[in-house]
Amino acid sequence: MVPPYWKFFPKKETKLTTSNKPAALAIAAALILIACNPRPDPNKPITDIVQPPLPQSASTSPTSPTPPATAKGGVPPKPPSMHRPSPTTCGKMGAGEATKNVPGCARDSECKASSNGRCVTLGGGHDPMRNQCVYDGCFADSDCGTAGICNCNHSGNFCQTGNCRLDSDCGKGGFCSPTYGCRGTPGAHYCHTPKDTCVENSDCPPLSNGNWNSCTFDSMAGHWACVPNMCPVG
Amino acid sequence: MTLRLLGALLLGVACKAHAPEPDIESRYLDDRVFRRAELEASLVRPTNGYSRLRLARYASGNSQDWERLPIANPRTTPVTVRELDDAHGVDPRRAIEPSAHSLQFDPAQVRRSKEALRQLGERAFFRYPAQLAGSSAPALRSRSTAERYGFWIDDMRGVGGIVATETADGGSELAYTCATCHASRQGSTLAIGRANDRLDLGRLMADLGGSQDTRSWGPGRVDVSTTSGNEPVRIADLRPVRYLTHLHHEATVEKRNVVSLAIRIETLLIVGHHEARRPPREIALGLAVYLESLAPPLPAPPTADVERRGAALFATHCARCHAPPAFTGRPVAIEAVGTDPMLGLSSDRGTGMVRVPSLLGVASRGALLHDASVRGIEPLFAPSRLTGHTFGAGLDTEQRADLIAYVRSL
């Protein structure tokens, strides 16, 4: 039978005496050492720069807060060079311009799959040249519902919808400007806002890695900002 | 008594001080120093553009630290086939439905359960916006325009992995997800992780009025690293990523563990959002776990005579780089492979090397080599092909057939 535990620890007087004092001091010292040398704080800043506290994680899955209805437009920091004071219309882009002796259609009259068809030459490089029927989805903004702009395009006019058509849609002193995506792909038009951190591409600092910044509308932030003009990410 | 009490306290404190180390997934979620160390250890060439940007901003502790960015987990809804079939196609700026939701997850559960992480990753693969794509709306006017540009159509999963994501004004904008590039139709099914080798974003951008140079990308190729657009690469097959030693065609990142993959995904999403916001780290980790779960099983040894003969030839001509059991290996110097050196020399992602892709599932890939310059296994071994990755080129007709049969079986 195992003796009770206290048999292993003979009863001694509870007071610290000269015989048990060194052991008690050693134990206390060990406790102090352990308490004062915890694992390194993983969130201690690497540098000595004093930083404001980082955002705390939410206790539930973080969700971007439902954005309040932001007022559209307003006076930007300065007027942009490209904006839309008045509507424009598209002529019959590329009508009758198909290149001879290229595979595909030869005349606009062959393009009957939809309305407003025309035969144009497309392609080049990896994409072989061909004559292709394209169909204009619009000729004027009024063809694009209540909010779209008709983008005049050789490959077929199309409607794009941002948040404005004209400068007057952006409030007093406001401007409605086009955006451009990867490799100059035309994007939609958006109002400039007082929160813009840029108005022109020239407001954006160059990037050190050879890529370049452009000033574009960040629809999730709700204002124009310099963004690296990256093409598809991967 | 005092000694006993002190002894008990000592035991308790010592035990706490030597508690088991948290796993690496937890450390990725909670420990900035750990994340930073993993990033630094995974970058193969710290001086290229890809690495320099991340070293400057990821868990850097300075004023530019991406950790200061707001977390983005917006409400999204997939673009549906029904919308595509509407008279005018997909409305790119429709209001987001009240029922739309962000990616929901229990932070405590995803820490406890790898399956919960995997499921979160699967949802994120199809729903988390990797990059806004409002300018692509004209491609979604109809089924024919969507198919012209290579966006897949699936009754259950929607159109091309494209979602409508909530914007600051309460409206929505179209966005690409991982599934846009890394899923594709294979017969009647949607093969998740398989590269979309029909996706022709270069043609789309040129047709929309952008630079005509991007037509040269061709289907299944995109430039993901430069603004000049002159470094297109094959969209990668993500199915065997679990077996890879390195990520990117240029072997830019060493895949040391699931955390290096999570960091790579996390920084991709940050860059995709113009460095204006970052994803919840649980979502990046979930995507990494999900991608690793796509791994095909390792093949059994060949039994058919033709494949066994092919395996012997493979061992001689191919296995030095594409080593079994996963038929991949460490990166190889670009001059040893002999393909277009553009990527290896790139200032953005170049390392002087190319990654050795896993050959698991290679028969189902449309295009091969990092530049998608070869369309299929037979053309890869064609005697008439004289430049770049010419291993096995000197085989006779029968040997070539045996080798191709074996490679097809992987």
Side-chain angles (χ1 to χ4, degrees), chain A residues 9 34 39 42 51 61-64 67 127 130 153 155 158 161 183 186 211-212 218-219 229 231-234, chain B residues 4 13 19 31 33 68 73 93 102 105 131 138 168 173 203 207-208 211 213 215 224 227-228 264 277 349:
Chain A
F9 302 97
I34 292 170
R39 288 209 194 105
Q51 304 291 344
S61 56
T63 302
S64 298
D127 191 15
R130 64 199 182 279
N153 187 33
S155 307
F158 58 92
T161 307
R183 300 287 283 147
N211 291 327
W212 45 279
D218 183 339
S219 56
N229 197 9
C231 292
V233 290
Chain B
R4 289 177 202 161
V13 173
D31 187 339
V33 171
R68 299 180 174 283
N73 186 8
R93 292 279 297 170
S102 60
F105 60 90
Q131 185 176 28
E173 183 168 336
R203 181 180 182 182
D207 282 354
L208 293 178
S211 168
D213 296 349
R215 291 189 189 279
V224 295
T227 51
S228 60
R264 187 257 180 270
R277 50 205 150 259
R349 295 192 177 188

Side-chain angles (χ1 to χ4, degrees), chain A residues 21-36:
Chain A
K21 194 171 183 180
L25 287 173
I27 292 171
L31 279 172
I32 289 167
L33 274 173
I34 292 170
C36 294

Side-chain angles (χ1 to χ4, degrees), chain A residues 5-6 9-16 20 23-25 27-28 30-31 34-35 39 41-47 49 51-70 122-127 130 132-133 135 151 153-163 181-188 190 208-212 216-222 226-234, chain B residues 1-4 6-7 9-10 13-14 16-22 30-33 36 49 52 59-63 67-69 71-75 92-93 102-107 130-132 134-135 138 141 148 165-170 173 201 203 205-211 213-219 221-229 248 264 268 271-278 280 282 347-349:
Chain A
Y5 79 96
W6 57 85
F9 302 97
K11 274 190 181 176
K12 294 273 171 82
E13 58 275 15
T14 57
K15 292 181 184 173
L16 288 177
N20 64 23
L25 287 173
I27 292 171
L31 279 172
I34 292 170
R39 288 209 194 105
D41 179 359
N43 292 315
K44 185 177 178 192
I46 296 171
T47 69
I49 299 171
Q51 304 291 344
L54 293 171
Q56 298 301 307
S57 300
S59 56
T60 56
S61 56
T63 302
S64 298
T66 300
T70 52
L122 298 175
H126 207 288
D127 191 15
R130 64 199 182 279
Q132 182 173 308
C133 286
Y135 299 88
N151 190 308
N153 187 33
H154 175 72
S155 307
N157 304 338
F158 58 92
C159 294
Q160 268 188 330
T161 307
N163 69 4
C182 173
R183 300 287 283 147
T185 307
Y190 292 92
S208 59
N209 59 356
N211 291 327
W212 45 279
T216 196
F217 186 79
D218 183 339
S219 56
M220 290 182 74
C226 293
V227 303
N229 197 9
M230 299 303 289
C231 292
V233 290
Chain B
M1 183 63 184
T2 305
L3 273 177
R4 289 177 202 161
L6 282 173
L9 277 172
L10 174 62
V13 173
K16 190 169 191 296
H18 291 90
E21 287 281 324
D30 299 329
D31 187 339
R32 179 167 64 72
V33 171
R36 178 70 185 192
R52 281 191 284 120
S60 58
N62 58 27
S63 61
E67 303 220 343
R68 299 180 174 283
L69 296 175
I71 295 174
N73 186 8
R75 298 194 302 143
R93 292 279 297 170
S102 60
L103 288 170
Q104 303 294 300
F105 60 90
D106 179 346
Q131 185 176 28
L132 295 176
S135 59
R141 280 201 296 264
R148 180 187 307 158
T165 188
E166 189 167 40
T167 51
D169 62 356
E173 183 168 336
L201 293 179
R203 181 180 182 182
M205 291 188 294
D207 282 354
L208 293 178
S211 168
D213 296 349
T214 57
R215 291 189 189 279
S216 67
W217 293 4
R221 296 190 343 147
V222 291
D223 183 341
V224 295
S225 55
T226 75
T227 51
S228 60
H248 301 172
R264 187 257 180 270
L268 179 155
V271 170
H273 282 274
H274 310 312
E275 302 178 52
R277 50 205 150 259
R278 63 182 177 95
E282 291 88 347
S347 63
D348 189 71
R349 295 192 177 188

Side-chain angles (χ1 to χ4, degrees), chain B residues 160-216:
Chain B
I162 299 172
V163 296
T165 188
E166 189 167 40
T167 51
D169 62 356
S172 68
E173 183 168 336
L174 299 177
Y176 297 145
T177 65
C178 303
T180 302
C181 295
H182 298 288
S184 51
R185 301 238 24 129
Q186 198 170 354
S188 60
T189 59
L190 188 67
I192 300 170
R194 179 176 179 268
N196 185 351
D197 56 357
R198 296 190 58 241
L199 185 64
D200 200 342
L201 293 179
R203 181 180 182 182
L204 173 60
M205 291 188 294
D207 282 354
L208 293 178
S211 168
Q212 299 301 297
D213 296 349
T214 57
R215 291 189 189 279
S216 67

Side-chain angles (χ1 to χ4, degrees), chain B residues 84 137-151 204:
Chain B
L84 191 64
L140 302 180
R141 280 201 296 264
S142 66
R143 283 193 188 234
S144 63
T145 55
E147 287 170 346
R148 180 187 307 158
Y149 298 110
F151 293 108
L204 173 60

